[in-house]
Amino acid sequence: MSKTFIDHIKTRRTQYALGKTLPKSEEEISRLIQDVIKHVPSSFNSQSSRAVILFGKQSDKFWHLTKEILRKIVPADSFASTEAKMDSFAAGAGTVLFFEDQDVVKSLQEQFPLYADAFPAFSEQSGGMAQFAVWTALAEHGIGASLQHYAPLVDEAVQKEWHVPKSWKLRAQMPFGSNEQPFPEKSFMNDNDRFKVYS
């Protein structure tokens, strides 16, 4: 029996124990990520989301750069846990860097001044949907992932290393790879504290 959409959403979980084994080729995974982002909705069909997809040594390089940047600001006596975290992300097979193109946002603000204040939020909403959709699509294929946020600390290094346009604002990073540990049980708050339904 095929899984439903909600089944795939439930499958999407945070995985910190990543490995480098992938069920599909890098080309297939890259195309999957691109197709997902391409079809994520955006306000005025602005298509503001951007991505840099890193595999293998390029992904390792990103987490090494991030670790060295953090080394400069995290106290030495507590850096061991930070280093272990960066190494766990680097243990994966790849990383997706998610961006929102600020030139697109500014263009919309100029075209539709009445909504100017809203377009940055619209962009963030579209970016969040892109992150969630990619994460769920990876989970559908048995690929583990987590969502990380090291911007703006790493912005300059990313722009320089991977020739990213300055208008691309880094919003999140998603290390991915094989699931090397099972997922723990997930707890949920009471529905009555979270939802109100009227008819």
Side-chain angles (χ1 to χ4, degrees):
M1 183 176 174
S2 61
K3 286 189 174 183
T4 65
F5 178 62
I6 191 66
D7 289 331
H8 291 304
I9 291 177
K10 291 176 180 179
T11 301
R12 183 223 54 80
R13 296 285 303 280
T14 294
Q15 178 61 271
Y16 291 119
L18 297 171
K20 295 192 181 296
T21 304
L22 292 173
K24 291 181 172 290
S25 69
E26 292 181 0
E27 183 179 354
E28 289 173 314
I29 292 171
S30 177
R31 176 45 54 194
L32 172 68
I33 293 168
Q34 292 176 61
D35 283 346
V36 168
I37 294 175
K38 181 178 179 179
H39 291 284
V40 164
S42 59
S43 65
F44 293 74
N45 194 31
S46 58
Q47 303 173 57
S48 57
S49 295
R50 306 284 184 267
V52 171
I53 306 167
L54 306 173
F55 289 98
K57 291 181 179 179
Q58 292 296 315
S59 178
D60 294 346
K61 183 184 292 184
F62 171 77
W63 292 111
H64 175 75
L65 287 170
T66 304
K67 178 166 61 176
E68 294 311 307
I69 290 169
L70 290 171
R71 190 188 301 275
K72 298 174 183 176
I73 60 174
V74 176
D77 59 354
S78 59
F79 186 71
S81 61
T82 298
E83 184 171 31
K85 185 182 289 186
M86 296 303 107
D87 290 346
S88 73
F89 301 148
T95 303
V96 185
L97 307 180
F98 292 93
F99 302 81
E100 285 295 305
D101 191 339
Q102 300 308 295
D103 281 351
V104 173
V105 176
K106 291 174 184 175
S107 176
L108 287 168
Q109 289 175 317
E110 292 169 358
Q111 293 177 63
F112 306 99
L114 186 63
Y115 302 104
D117 292 343
F119 283 118
F122 292 165
S123 169
E124 292 301 312
Q125 291 163 6
S126 181
M129 287 189 282
Q131 294 155 31
F132 171 75
V134 168
W135 198 348
T136 304
L138 291 175
E140 179 185 359
H141 294 282
I143 300 171
S146 69
L147 194 65
Q148 305 301 319
H149 302 88
Y150 290 99
L153 291 172
V154 299
D155 289 18
E156 185 177 346
V158 168
Q159 286 178 356
K160 181 179 179 181
E161 186 65 35
W162 290 284
H163 312 289
V164 174
K166 289 187 176 181
S167 65
W168 291 19
K169 185 177 183 181
L170 183 61
R171 305 311 295 143
Q173 306 86 46
M174 184 178 289
F176 63 86
S178 50
N179 291 298
E180 296 300 315
Q181 289 184 4
F183 295 105
E185 288 295 319
K186 186 175 183 178
S187 61
F188 296 92
M189 64 186 295
N190 191 295
D191 284 355
N192 292 331
D193 296 328
R194 196 169 186 184
F195 308 108
K196 292 184 182 296
V197 180
Y198 300 93
S199 62

